[in-house]
Amino acid sequence: LDGRKGTVAVYNYKTGEILCAVTGPTFDPDNVPDIAADDSGKYDGVYLNRFIQSAYVPGSIFKIVTTAAALECVDGIEDMTFTCSGKIEYGTEAVTCLSRHGKQNMRTALANSCNCAYAQITRQIGKEKMAWYIRSFGLTDSVCFDGITTAKGNYDVSNSAPVELAWSCIGQHSNLVNPARFMTFMGAVANGGSAAEPYIMAKVESGAELTYEAQVRKTGRLMPEKIADQVKTYMRHNVEAVYGDWNFPGLKVCAKSGTAEVGGDREPNAVFAGFCADKDYPLAFMVVVEDAGSGAKNCVPIISKVLAACKDMMDGE
C-alpha cells in the first residue's frame, strides 16, 4: 500500500485459508512510534482493521452483483442491447457516464463499466428482486471466523426513487460492503456458486498435542452454477480486454475495478475485486486504496505483485 490507507486481501476459495490480509496504515508492534504525537495524519485510523472492521462504498465492483442478478432473473438479457449516450435522465436528476459507449450488450457494458447500461439493466431487474438477490448472496452479512465477526454491509432501497435504485445497482447510493465478505462472494463466483468461508488460524498445537485444526466450512449455494460460470466468463473478458493478462503472468485472472465516490471533497476510493480461475491457484481477492481515484490504475499493480507472491508460495518457491 506504500503508506496509503486501505486493505489488500487474498484467500483460497477451496480451503478458506487467508494468504494475505493487509490493513493500512499500520506500525511495527516491536518498534511502536509516538502515534499520539504524530501530526502528519500518517497514523489516522491505525487501530482500525480495514479488512475486518470496515464497510466501503463498493463502486463499480458492485456491477458484478447486478450482473449475476440480471442473468438469473431477466429472460434473454444476454441478447439485449443497451445504448449509452452519456446520460439517462430521471426528471431533474440523472445517471451519468464518463463516456458515450453507444450500443452494447451486457458483457461489453461490464467491461466498459457503463453506468447508463446498468441503469437500464436495473429497470429490468426491479427493486424487489434486486433487494432479494442481495439477501440471497449474503452481501450485507457479517463473516465470522477465528472468533472474529466482521462489519456488516448495507443495501437499502426500500424508499428509493428510480434514480437512487439505478445508482445502487451501479455500486453507489447508500451501498456498503465489508472486504472480507465481498472477497468470499468472489470466491463463490469462482467456485461455481459456493465457496469456503475464510479462516486465518490453521491449527493450534500444545506440545505434541493438536488442540485445534481448521475445518472447511462452505458458504452454501449463493447462486446456480450456470450463473456463476456466466459471470466468470464476463469477468475473464474484463481482464483480457481491459486490465491486461500481462499484469498477471501464469494466472487466469477474472476481475472488475471500481472508482467509488465517497462524497465531499475527497478523491474516490480505488477498488478491485476478482479471482483466479486456475485449479492450482484457487485465489479470490479484494483491494481497496482510499482516496486514490481509478481502481484499475491504482489497484492492479498492487494485486499483481501480491498474486505473484501467492503463486510462488503455492509453487513452493
Side-chain angles (χ1 to χ4, degrees), residues 15-18 145-146 196-205 210-217:
T15 67
E17 178 187 10
I18 294 176
F145 56 91
D146 298 347
E197 294 278 9
Y199 69 81
I200 294 175
M201 185 65 65
K203 61 183 179 179
V204 177
E205 295 176 338
L210 179 66
T211 60
Y212 170 81
E213 187 169 18
Q215 303 295 318
V216 177
R217 295 186 300 112

Side-chain angles (χ1 to χ4, degrees), residues 133-152:
Y133 278 106
I134 300 305
R135 294 191 297 270
S136 178
F137 295 156
L139 278 169
T140 59
D141 297 342
S142 297
V143 185
C144 298
F145 56 91
D146 298 347
I148 297 166
T149 299
T150 71
K152 291 185 176 182

Side-chain angles (χ1 to χ4, degrees), residues 25 54-55 145 165 170 190 201 215 221 253 255 266 291 305 314:
S54 289
F145 56 91
L165 175 65
I170 293 164
M201 185 65 65
Q215 303 295 318
R221 180 154 297 282
V253 172
R266 289 178 56 190
D291 307 307
K305 293 178 183 178
M314 296 174 81

